[in-house]
Amino acid sequence: MRLTNISVCTLLSLYVLSSCTVKEDRTECPCRLEILLDESSGNLSGKDILLWFSEDSGHPLRKTSFPSSEKQMTADVPRGKIRIFAATGDNVSMSTGQWNHLHLEPGLQADSIFACNSIVECFGEMSTDTLILHKQWCTAHILLEETGGWEPFRFEIYGKWSGLSADDLTALEGPFRYQSDATARQMTVRIPRQGDDSLVLKVHLTQGNQSDSKTFPLGKLIAEIGYQWDKTDLDDLAISLDEATLGLNIEIIDWESSGPDREINF
């Protein structure tokens, strides 16, 4: 009987020992990633936040969204380094092209896109990332001052950059062209982030049987007064055209304070 008791005690001891040392292998389990929306992000007006997840190599994983009003969401992702691209706007779904790069359709002005990207280490069971979205477009307000006899006219603005890279939020090449109605005296246009100073503004005028046009190297002109296309949050522009002299007056408008920053006269 004593030998039996010893044997039972020994077996129980071995069971307890084995249950303490044998652990479940959780390396294949996903990481629970919590996404938080920073309060300093732009005015999102209740829009949905679109999220693209990909591996560090760039291999796409999934695309999802959540309402900005909820301020947060969670997603299960593979363990490792995860790339996140987040964007929101009035019509972000209009964008086409590679997985999570945004490309503007020809003939359209830019969407009001706020965006950000990050690389998150998701090696454990849980990780967290905070989204701080930034303004990716420039709103240009263009006005033709007192006519002096000129009839209906048209504004046209064009360049060679129309996309946004998810990798580093830089401009991607592609045709950008937008024009006003033929009778417009002013035009407000959203310009996508540009990669150089090649942006052009063209003004078409008519007077009776006469017609005239003037082309302005807008990209170069705004660069001369300090406009920066690589700024984290893009500023806006106020452009007025003196019809008598066909000269421009340009102001850089800080998008947060809506106050003029620099001014130039031609």
Side-chain angles (χ1 to χ4, degrees):
M1 188 70 179
R2 185 179 179 185
L3 289 175
T4 304
N5 288 338
I6 292 175
S7 299
V8 171
C9 291
T10 302
L11 290 173
L12 287 173
S13 298
L14 289 173
Y15 173 79
V16 171
L17 182 62
S18 63
S19 66
C20 294
T21 57
V22 178
K23 297 182 179 180
E24 179 183 2
D25 184 5
R26 299 180 59 83
T27 56
E28 298 301 320
C29 294
C31 172
R32 175 60 57 91
L33 177 59
E34 183 179 26
I35 306 293
L36 306 175
L37 181 60
D38 191 273
E39 295 292 338
S40 66
S41 295
N43 180 17
L44 306 181
S45 303
K47 297 180 177 65
D48 286 349
I49 308 297
L50 275 68
L51 295 170
W52 290 261
F53 297 94
S54 59
E55 295 177 348
D56 191 32
S57 63
H59 177 74
L61 293 173
R62 60 181 293 195
K63 176 182 177 181
T64 187
S65 65
F66 71 98
S68 60
S69 57
E70 294 184 1
K71 306 296 183 183
Q72 63 180 21
M73 70 157 291
T74 57
D76 290 334
V77 297
R79 298 198 182 196
K81 288 186 178 181
I82 300 297
R83 291 179 177 268
I84 300 176
F85 175 55
T88 187
D90 296 326
N91 190 24
V92 176
S93 60
M94 73 181 181
S95 305
T96 59
Q98 302 178 36
W99 170 239
N100 51 4
H101 295 332
L102 302 183
H103 288 270
L104 186 65
E105 296 287 353
L108 297 178
Q109 60 181 322
D111 188 14
S112 304
I113 293 178
F114 289 92
C116 68
N117 62 352
S118 59
I119 299 178
V120 188
E121 293 192 353
C122 298
F123 293 99
E125 294 186 9
M126 297 188 66
S127 189
T128 303
D129 187 44
T130 300
L131 305 177
I132 305 178
L133 281 74
H134 297 284
K135 181 173 177 282
Q136 304 298 318
W137 81 97
C138 162
T139 298
H141 306 274
I142 307 172
L143 171 67
L144 178 67
E145 297 180 347
E146 290 302 322
T147 60
W150 289 101
E151 300 293 334
F153 56 92
R154 178 167 49 89
F155 292 114
E156 186 177 7
I157 189 166
Y158 52 91
K160 62 180 184 180
W161 305 86
S162 63
L164 183 68
S165 169
D167 296 329
D168 53 12
L169 301 184
T170 56
L172 295 176
E173 287 196 64
F176 168 66
R177 183 178 294 270
Y178 185 78
Q179 64 183 29
S180 66
D181 295 333
T183 58
R185 291 192 55 79
Q186 60 184 352
M187 177 176 75
T188 298
V189 55
R190 294 185 300 271
I191 305 170
R193 187 179 290 275
Q194 299 292 288
D196 60 19
D197 59 3
S198 60
L199 197 66
V200 173
L201 171 65
K202 191 171 186 178
V203 183
H204 304 267
L205 299 169
T206 60
Q207 188 178 46
N209 294 327
Q210 291 183 321
S211 63
D212 195 7
S213 65
K214 181 70 177 291
T215 300
F216 300 92
L218 185 60
K220 290 182 171 60
L221 295 177
I222 63 176
E224 288 175 4
I225 62 170
Y227 194 90
Q228 299 177 336
W229 286 110
D230 59 355
K231 193 172 180 180
T232 302
D233 291 283
L234 291 179
D235 290 322
D236 297 326
L237 293 168
I239 304 169
S240 59
L241 173 67
D242 185 332
E243 185 183 348
T245 63
L246 290 183
L248 289 185
N249 180 288
I250 305 176
E251 295 179 353
I252 298 176
I253 308 298
D254 182 87
W255 80 278
E256 291 181 307
S257 64
S258 297
D261 182 33
R262 298 284 298 279
E263 182 176 333
I264 186 169
N265 295 291
F266 300 91

